[in-house]
Amino acid sequence: MESLLSSNSAAFHAEQKEYLLGFFAGAAQRSLQPFVGRAANGLLACNPESGARNEASPAEELWHGTPVSELSREELWKYEENPLDLWDKLVAHAEENRAPSQEDTFRFKFHGLFYVAPAQDSFMLRLRVPGGVLSAHQMKGLAEIAERWGAERADLTTRANIQIRQFQPKDIVRVLTSVQSLGLTARGSGADNIRNITASPLAGIDPAELIDVAPLANALHYCILNSRDLYDLPRKFNVAFDGGGAISVVADTNDIGFVAVRVSEGRGVPPGVYFRVLLCGITGHKQFASDCGLLLKPEQAVAVAAAMIRVFIDHGDRTDRKKARLKYLVDKWGVEKFVDETEKRLAFPLLRLAAEECEPRVGVDRSAHIGVHSQSQPGMHYIGVSVPVGNLPAPQMRAVAAIAEKFGSGELRLTVWQNLLIPNIATQNLDGALEALRAAGLDCAAGTVLSGTVACTGNRGCRYAATDTKAHAVELANRLDARFKIMQPVNLHVTGCPHSCAQHYVGDIGLLGTKVAGAEGYQVVIGGGSDCGQGIARELIPAIAYGDLPPVLESLFAAYMEQCKPGESLLTFSRRHSIEELRSFLAVKEFVA
């Protein structure tokens, strides 16, 4: 009992602690410990094994139904001080140029502020960019913020988002207010919040899409901003809207994924476009989101998302951070109970329909985020700009904004592949836009591997990462592209730690940072994919020093190029071979276990 109270001492005054220690010590000496609990049928029980709360014991304050003494450390921090109510503290830290305490480092994330020491003795700001859509004016404003106070660049992320890095505590208020003046926000972009709402980056312009999902992403974004209770989750939460078009938003890696489908005549519901609901994607734990049996009308999707999130808020685990994601609540309850609890919060009934009753999805184009492509609007095009591992210097931020204004509609779109699109370019303006991109040191062409490469921040900016992921990813991709003329798309996912921000388990090749005899190295996995090619990658190499990795991957790609069938992708090639066969292709046969 002493250890329990000590671990949660911040929740109790000294007198309270002394009283509780005495109370429990006295209770332990007595043989009779009366119990009165209310059973599920409302009758009173005298047996503690009923699982009910003992109404005959001293009442303890609850936080989301959990006794305060049982809360995890982070939940206790939220209980003691609401992270949304920190403005005066933010101002004080800025005035004193002071780094936050451990508790406030966590709370500041609710404002998008990440103190990233010891990797960098500075802050990172993560924005909210619903659907990944930015105006040229906003991009230019972010470039100015990065130049005045940050690292003179932006990082494009795997949630179609932007990070500004390396600014000091004294500048946090200036950065936040400058972001707000651009019509943007960072509120709720970190810690136990709903992260940036992703949507198909070609929403509204994709010839292959079933529905424009941009209004849904915006609606959920503003629902969050306008609802204080939606900032009170047990753990982080990801939501994606997929319109069924050419570019994937990897909806099946999200806690909730809404995927557009078409239902034809004779299926028991009016024909048309609906959404399937996928639940509990958490690929760092090797689990994709799975279909929960619901068929939603488009106008129902945002309300269902808000209801599901609130069920999670009310019933998610507040005691164990490792069991606090949505997956664990659904594992405990089962899908049907979770859906039933969701339905209780809705003013309309939910329709169940088997996924097999819907038309199959048209395949995803894994190269559609790079290059020049036609839009659904006649005579209009978008350019997918290559931004290797999302590193975009401020001069290039200004350049793409100017190109969007001069040759397009002044709009930019970010993708989950850490690059950007410039939409709405008329045919006659394409040559000028491409020339301006090249003049800025950018291009709409990239090697097959580089164009499909994503990487997390790495140890240059994250204390959890074991390796310099971005530098290694670009070096490996360029080396493979230089040696091999690969025709089919290849996805290389490089992540620095088991949090798997770059989702290494869904890459054709996935690298997970580790230490090998004190040096930077990687676990190598192979054959992962999402959407129509869904699958968790298998371990190819337990651990290998980075210095030894390039020739090993080259030998693998050489075997692929020599032995692949006509038109066969690396993904298909890897999946039709056993791990033993794939290892036989490698230049090095023994690895660190």
Side-chain angles (χ1 to χ4, degrees):
M1 187 62 215
E2 175 70 48
S3 62
L4 173 62
L5 292 178
S6 297
S7 65
N8 294 284
S9 59
F12 302 99
H13 299 302
E15 293 181 1
Q16 291 174 312
K17 180 178 177 182
E18 183 178 352
Y19 166 77
L20 286 172
L21 284 171
F23 171 82
F24 284 110
Q29 294 174 359
R30 304 185 187 103
S31 59
L32 180 63
Q33 297 184 24
F35 179 90
V36 179
R38 199 168 299 275
N41 59 7
L43 300 178
L44 295 177
C46 64
N47 184 354
E49 295 178 1
S50 67
R53 183 177 68 86
N54 187 2
E55 297 176 3
S57 66
E60 182 179 351
E61 187 169 355
L62 303 179
W63 173 253
H64 294 285
T66 301
V68 170
S69 63
E70 297 178 14
L71 294 175
S72 67
R73 180 185 63 174
E74 289 79 3
E75 288 295 330
L76 192 59
W77 290 340
K78 291 187 285 185
Y79 165 75
E80 293 169 343
E81 184 174 14
N82 192 314
L84 297 182
D85 299 330
L86 294 183
W87 186 253
D88 289 344
K89 185 174 285 188
L90 293 174
V91 172
H93 277 68
E95 289 176 345
E96 299 170 20
N97 196 28
R98 175 161 51 95
S101 64
Q102 184 181 25
E103 303 96 300
D104 284 337
T105 293
F106 173 77
R107 295 185 185 111
F108 280 19
K109 293 177 184 179
F110 281 68
H111 300 265
L113 293 165
F114 292 71
Y115 185 60
V116 296
Q120 294 170 344
D121 188 16
S122 61
F123 276 93
M124 175 269 283
L125 184 77
R126 180 191 291 157
L127 299 176
R128 298 189 74 91
V129 184
V133 179
L134 282 171
S135 71
H137 168 70
Q138 289 170 331
M139 182 64 89
K140 288 188 288 187
L142 293 174
E144 181 177 352
I145 292 170
E147 285 184 329
R148 291 184 66 182
W149 299 300
E152 301 184 352
R153 75 169 200 278
D155 285 1
L156 310 186
T157 80
T158 55
R159 287 205 67 77
N161 204 353
I162 286 187
Q163 297 174 354
I164 305 295
R165 289 187 164 271
Q166 290 180 248
F167 54 94
Q168 295 302 306
K170 63 187 175 67
D171 296 320
I172 58 177
V173 172
R174 295 187 182 96
V175 170
L176 285 176
T177 54
S178 296
V179 163
Q180 291 166 3
S181 72
L182 295 172
L184 294 167
T185 183
R187 188 179 175 94
S189 62
D192 300 343
N193 284 288
I194 306 161
R195 302 302 174 81
N196 193 47
I197 307 301
T198 57
S200 300
L202 297 180
I205 65 173
D206 188 347
E209 74 180 1
L210 298 179
I211 187 172
D212 179 357
V213 292
L216 301 177
N218 276 314
L220 184 55
H221 170 78
Y222 286 109
C223 181
I224 296 165
L225 296 186
N226 293 324
S227 305
R228 188 178 174 91
D229 68 308
L230 293 182
Y231 291 89
D232 201 11
L233 280 67
R235 210 67 161 82
K236 73 173 184 177
F237 205 93
N238 294 324
V239 183
F241 293 92
D242 190 320
I247 300 181
S248 168
V249 72
V250 288
D252 52 5
T253 67
N254 287 256
D255 293 278
I256 306 177
F258 295 93
V259 179
V261 295
R262 186 180 296 280
V263 178
S264 55
E265 296 279 359
R267 298 298 182 180
V269 297
V273 174
Y274 296 83
F275 282 98
R276 304 297 306 182
V277 183
L278 312 182
L279 291 179
C280 304
I282 178 169
T283 52
H285 294 212
K286 302 184 181 182
Q287 178 171 310
F288 286 101
S290 58
D291 191 287
C292 71
L294 294 179
L295 188 73
L296 303 182
K297 298 176 183 178
E299 62 269 22
Q300 297 174 332
V302 176
V304 169
M308 286 182 166
I309 293 165
R310 287 186 167 103
V311 171
F312 175 56
I313 288 172
D314 288 347
H315 299 284
D317 194 319
R318 305 272 177 171
T319 67
D320 184 353
R321 299 286 286 180
K322 295 180 180 179
K323 301 291 184 181
R325 292 290 296 271
L326 177 66
K327 159 188 163 54
Y328 298 102
L329 176 62
V330 175
D331 284 349
K332 176 182 176 182
W333 277 5
V335 171
E336 193 57 39
K337 179 176 178 179
F338 180 79
V339 172
D340 288 345
E341 290 295 322
T342 298
E343 195 165 20
K344 291 177 184 177
R345 297 166 184 260
L346 298 169
F348 52 88
L350 292 175
L351 176 65
R352 276 79 165 173
L353 187 74
E356 294 74 21
E357 297 294 308
C358 305
E359 294 181 12
R361 177 177 183 155
V362 176
V364 169
D365 183 350
R366 294 173 66 190
S367 60
H369 64 287
I370 296 291
V372 178
H373 302 267
S374 297
Q375 296 181 186
S376 55
Q377 295 79 13
M380 302 300 287
H381 310 266
Y382 72 89
I383 298 176
V385 181
S386 175
V387 185
V389 296
N391 188 352
L392 192 65
Q396 293 183 338
M397 296 170 71
R398 286 198 174 88
V400 294
I403 293 166
E405 287 179 322
K406 182 175 182 179
F407 301 104
S409 58
E411 183 179 276
L412 297 160
R413 302 192 180 193
L414 310 179
T415 84
V416 298
W417 307 108
Q418 293 182 296
N419 74 313
L420 60 85
L421 315 177
I422 305 176
N424 305 316
I425 300 176
T427 303
Q428 63 270 24
N429 290 331
L430 276 174
D431 289 342
L434 293 172
E435 183 179 348
L437 279 172
R438 288 189 286 268
L442 293 164
D443 207 342
C444 69
T448 308
V449 181
L450 184 62
S451 64
T453 294
V454 297
C456 72
T457 299
N459 58 14
R460 294 191 187 186
C462 176
R463 65 189 178 95
Y464 298 109
T467 55
D468 187 358
T469 54
K470 286 182 179 281
H472 293 164
V474 172
E475 182 179 9
L476 284 171
N478 283 331
R479 184 164 173 167
L480 293 169
D481 281 328
R483 179 170 173 185
F484 304 103
K485 188 174 178 58
I486 305 167
M487 304 305 295
Q488 299 296 322
V490 174
N491 286 344
L492 172 64
H493 292 236
V494 186
T495 200
C497 79
H499 289 143
S500 193
C501 293
Q503 300 179 325
H504 66 292
Y505 279 120
V506 300
D508 294 333
I509 301 289
L511 305 181
L512 170 61
T514 187
K515 293 296 184 183
V516 179
E520 294 187 15
Y522 291 93
Q523 176 199 49
V524 182
V525 297
I526 190 168
S530 60
D531 303 305
C532 303
Q534 187 182 98
I536 295 294
R538 298 171 292 165
E539 183 182 83
L540 180 65
I541 303 174
I544 182 172
Y546 175 71
D548 298 328
L549 181 59
V552 171
L553 288 185
E554 286 180 331
S555 64
L556 173 67
F557 275 73
Y560 160 60
M561 297 298 289
E562 293 169 2
Q563 301 181 32
C564 67
K565 299 176 181 178
E568 184 177 40
S569 67
L570 177 65
L571 177 61
T572 303
F573 174 82
S574 69
R575 287 183 176 176
R576 70 176 173 87
H577 287 88
S578 69
I579 287 297
E580 290 71 23
E581 290 171 331
L582 293 170
R583 286 175 177 164
S584 73
F585 302 148
L586 304 181
V588 178
K589 300 301 190 298
E590 295 184 6
F591 308 99
V592 177

